[in-house]
Amino acid sequence: MMRDLSVDIAGLTFRNPVTTASGTFGYGEEFLDFLDPGQLGAIFVKAVTAKNRDGNAYPRMAETTGGMLNSVGLQNKGVDHFCREIYPKVKKFDTYIIVNVSGSTVEEYVEVAEQINELEKVPAIELNISCPNVKLGGMAFGTVPAMATEVTAAVRKVYKKVLMVKLSPNVTHITDIAKAVVEGGADVITLINTLLGMAIDAERRRPVLSTITGGLSGPAIKPVALRMVWQVHKAVAVPVIGLGGIMNATDAIEFILAGASAIQVGTANFIDPQASIKIVEGIREYLERHKIASIKELVGALRTE
Ligand code: SIN
């Protein structure tokens, strides 16, 4: 029997629920020696801002127990460069290309979203209101419900396609932020971005990262991510895309049971560039083993009684 891996995300049909997290998969091109992007449900490309950003000073990555810290600082060459140089290459991939849109002000988010809206082969954006590594904007928008609504609503006015919003876990009540972005017009919620953390070099008595703090990702954050996906799935009616420490197909299935309609593979791409396609295969095997016809049957199917 054929197993149906396809999922519906706000009108987009992903061929399977496995996608790659922004910032961990470049613009897809970097991975062409390892996989065909057409094997994935979608790819979320690196954050794009209005103007060139050099990012934070080095060191800006650190390995930690069960994870890694980054403080890249949204390094990218700006939206004009993306449209001119990157888009013509990525639009050839046989999968959905979703652009992570970042900014320091509401106006900047709107400006970038307006330009990306013109790109025919990009059916959705992921509004990044959760980057913990910038002095202005980023996570600041994702930790105050009124600001989350404001930036989402402003982008909603100019962005005509599927609007996804990526939430920060660095809040007390994740469902308040989820409801706030839905109120602003979000079609889909992606969560979680990284948890704010730090690493210290005891010998030098100094922080490891130049920015002192950074965003923690990897298996260490998976239980937090699962809990938040589960809470948000119950609290809002829009589809949820889950991420946070997914390393294998079992992790992916756990997120889907918690309520994610699709998942993003992030830190695992740095360890094994084929992690995402191995996860697709592992999900297929799980469906086979449990005699489940469609992955959709598992979304939110966690048994709690
Ligand atoms: C970064 O570029 O600092 C990471 C992006 C993010 O956490 O959203």
Side-chain angles (χ1 to χ4, degrees), residues 92-283:
K92 296 182 189 139
F93 297 158
D94 179 25
T95 191
Y96 291 121
I97 306 300
I98 300 173
V99 177
N100 182 285
V101 169
S102 299
S104 302
T105 60
V106 171
E107 293 71 28
E108 182 177 0
Y109 282 102
V110 168
E111 181 186 338
V112 178
E114 257 181 322
Q115 289 199 54
I116 302 293
N117 190 57
E118 299 307 312
L119 306 179
E120 197 193 329
K121 290 282 167 91
V122 175
I125 57 171
E126 177 181 59
L127 205 61
N128 184 357
I129 58 168
S130 44
C131 175
N133 304 325
V134 288
K135 291 204 179 77
L136 293 172
M139 192 174 85
F141 285 104
T143 48
V144 180
M147 285 173 76
T149 304
E150 184 192 346
V151 68
T152 308
V155 169
R156 179 74 290 174
K157 278 201 194 113
V158 300
Y159 190 70
K160 307 300 175 201
K161 304 182 210 172
V162 176
L163 176 55
M164 304 182 174
V165 182
K166 186 170 186 177
L167 303 192
S168 169
N170 301 302
V171 296
T172 309
H173 300 293
I174 192 71
T175 53
D176 288 352
I177 308 291
K179 288 175 188 162
V181 301
V182 171
E183 191 186 321
D187 299 309
V188 178
I189 289 175
T190 63
L191 83 162
I192 60 173
N193 204 327
T194 53
L195 273 160
L196 193 60
M198 68 188 284
I200 292 176
D201 180 338
E203 292 305 313
R204 293 170 54 242
R205 302 183 205 172
R206 296 194 61 81
V208 176
L209 297 174
S210 71
T211 48
I212 304 176
T213 62
L216 181 66
S217 62
I221 73 169
K222 193 185 82 173
V224 178
L226 276 176
R227 184 263 295 178
M228 290 190 164
V229 165
W230 178 69
Q231 288 179 318
V232 168
H233 170 67
K234 287 192 299 168
V236 296
V238 303
V240 170
I241 298 181
L243 72 152
I246 297 177
M247 306 303 281
N248 53 45
T250 308
D251 294 338
I253 296 285
E254 290 171 19
F255 274 79
I256 292 168
L257 290 170
S261 294
I263 58 99
Q264 295 183 2
V265 179
T267 303
N269 295 316
F270 297 124
I271 299 164
D272 177 1
Q274 294 183 320
S276 54
I277 52 169
K278 289 178 183 166
I279 291 173
V280 175
E281 221 24 66
I283 292 175

Side-chain angles (χ1 to χ4, degrees), residues 13 24 42 44 48 71 80-81 88 102 120 145 154 203 211 230 232 239 247 263 285 303:
T13 303
T24 68
F44 287 72
V48 176
S71 67
D80 287 343
H81 179 267
S102 299
E120 197 193 329
E203 292 305 313
T211 48
W230 178 69
V232 168
M247 306 303 281
I263 58 99
E285 280 164 21
R303 297 174 184 148

